[in-house]
């Protein structure tokens, strides 16, 4: 399980580096992420750009992490790939998490 | 664990009929072999099947094979004196004009009664969200013509996965 964690003032920014959140890693993924998220008491922003596959056990892990955070603190998932976003939408979990589209690509200065 | 899938577009069968890529594998049911099989399925169909369909295929196969793995009868704290073994999954996928036809068999425990009956999502209770129970919902939602039967010690599950609209021929 690999994460890049950055404690911004207003929120915790976490980049997920695993490319698959599946049954093979769901439990340690959940445990590790809960350890990071639970003590901080801040809204969390997860950068999911690297994740290209998630199954229902991965979804269960994400829900468990969400539940480790008080309800009034947002958990924002950004840059979801289409395959991962599909799982959230089909299971209606897009109502529980705050799904945000990837930021627009900035054109390099000419 | 040897992939026996075949794709040989150069050999037409009697002229017009196209050879279609297929995938066949026999694997022990555990998370690592399931992951490897899914990645190989993707590679097999990557040239001819669009990303949307591949994504749905990978998800539904993962859910089916995870079910077999998670409910393996050998998962007891003390495996002795009978060390038990993982169920063995046979996976077969064939591409046809409308989509992908999939068949999976395994010698694990019976699938849950009513697994192919229409079901809804687990209730979203605020403050007590479900962390599981999504698998069969996803399988049903993503597939067509889902059928299941058990014969002797094996489960047989078959379904069709339609192509995304622009891809259908």
């Amino acid at each position: 399980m690999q994460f890049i964690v950055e404690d911004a003032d207003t929120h915790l920014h976490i980049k997920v580096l695993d490319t698959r959140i599946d049954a093979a890693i769901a439990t340690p993924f959940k445990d590790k992420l809960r350890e990071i998220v639970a003590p901080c008491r801040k809204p969390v922003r997860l950068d999911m750009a690297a994740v290209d596959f998630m199954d229902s056990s991965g979804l269960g892990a994400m829900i468990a992490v969400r539940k480790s955070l008080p309800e009034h603190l947002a958990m924002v998932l950004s840059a979801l790939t289409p395959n991962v976003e599909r799982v959230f939408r089909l299971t209606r979990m897009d109502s529980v998490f705050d799904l945000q589209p990837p930021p627009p690509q900035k054109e390099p200065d000419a | 664990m040897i992939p026996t899938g075949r794709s040989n577009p150069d050999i037409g069968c009697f002229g017009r009929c196209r050879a279609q890529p297929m995938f066949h594998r026999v694997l022990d049911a555990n998370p690592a072999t399931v992951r490897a099989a899914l990645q190989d399925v993707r590679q097999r169909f990557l040239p001819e099947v669009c990303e949307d369909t591949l994504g749905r295929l990978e998800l539904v196969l993962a859910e089916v094979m995870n079910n077999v793995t998670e409910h393996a009868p050998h998962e007891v704290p003390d495996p002795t004196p009978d060390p038990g073994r993982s169920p063995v999954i046979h996976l077969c996928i064939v591409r046809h004009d409308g989509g992908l036809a999939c068949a999976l068999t395994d010698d694990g425990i019976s699938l849950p009664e009513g697994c192919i009956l229409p079901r809804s999502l687990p209730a979203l209770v605020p403050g007590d969200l479900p962390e599981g129970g999504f698998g069969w919902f996803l399988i049903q939602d993503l597939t067509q013509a889902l059928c299941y039967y058990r014969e002797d010690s094996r489960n047989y599950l078959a379904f069709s996965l339609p192509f995304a609209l622009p891809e259908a021929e």
Side-chain angles (χ1 to χ4, degrees), chain B residues 24-137:
Chain B
H24 178 239
R25 176 161 302 183
V26 179
L27 63 146
D28 290 334
N30 68 61
T33 53
V34 167
R35 179 189 272 197
L38 292 172
Q39 289 172 318
D40 290 345
V41 166
R42 169 172 282 276
Q43 287 306 311
R44 163 66 69 202
F45 292 102
L46 190 58
E48 305 201 30
V49 176
C50 80
E51 179 54 40
D52 181 82
T53 305
L54 278 178
R56 288 181 286 122
L57 176 69
E58 189 170 5
L59 179 57
V60 75
L61 292 177
E63 297 302 333
V64 173
M65 294 195 286
N66 287 346
N67 277 338
V68 178
T69 302
E70 286 162 16
H71 301 117
H74 72 288
E75 290 193 353
V76 289
D78 179 9
T80 56
D82 175 9
R85 57 174 185 79
S86 300
V88 176
I89 298 173
H90 292 236
L91 165 64
C92 187
I93 309 162
V94 184
R95 184 191 192 278
H96 56 81
D97 284 348
L100 295 155
C102 306
L104 294 106
T105 82
D106 68 84
D107 58 356
I109 61 170
S110 293
L111 299 187
E113 204 168 325
C115 65
I116 62 170
L117 297 177
R119 64 178 56 209
S120 47
L121 283 167
L124 297 189
V125 182
D128 187 22
L129 293 168
E131 293 174 32
F134 302 107
W136 281 106
F137 172 83

Side-chain angles (χ1 to χ4, degrees), chain A residues 2-4 14-18 21 29 46-48 50-51:
Chain A
Q2 291 220 299
F3 306 100
I4 296 175
I14 302 171
K15 182 166 178 55
V16 180
L17 298 180
D18 294 286
I21 311 177
F29 179 92
L46 271 182
D47 180 344
M48 301 281 285
V51 185

Side-chain angles (χ1 to χ4, degrees), chain A residues 6 13 15 18-19 28 43 49 52 69 72 74 78 81 86 88 107:
Chain A
E6 188 186 334
H13 189 272
K15 182 166 178 55
D18 294 286
T19 58
D52 53 33
L69 199 66
H72 67 278
S78 67
T81 59
R86 172 187 293 120
F88 284 101
E107 294 293 330

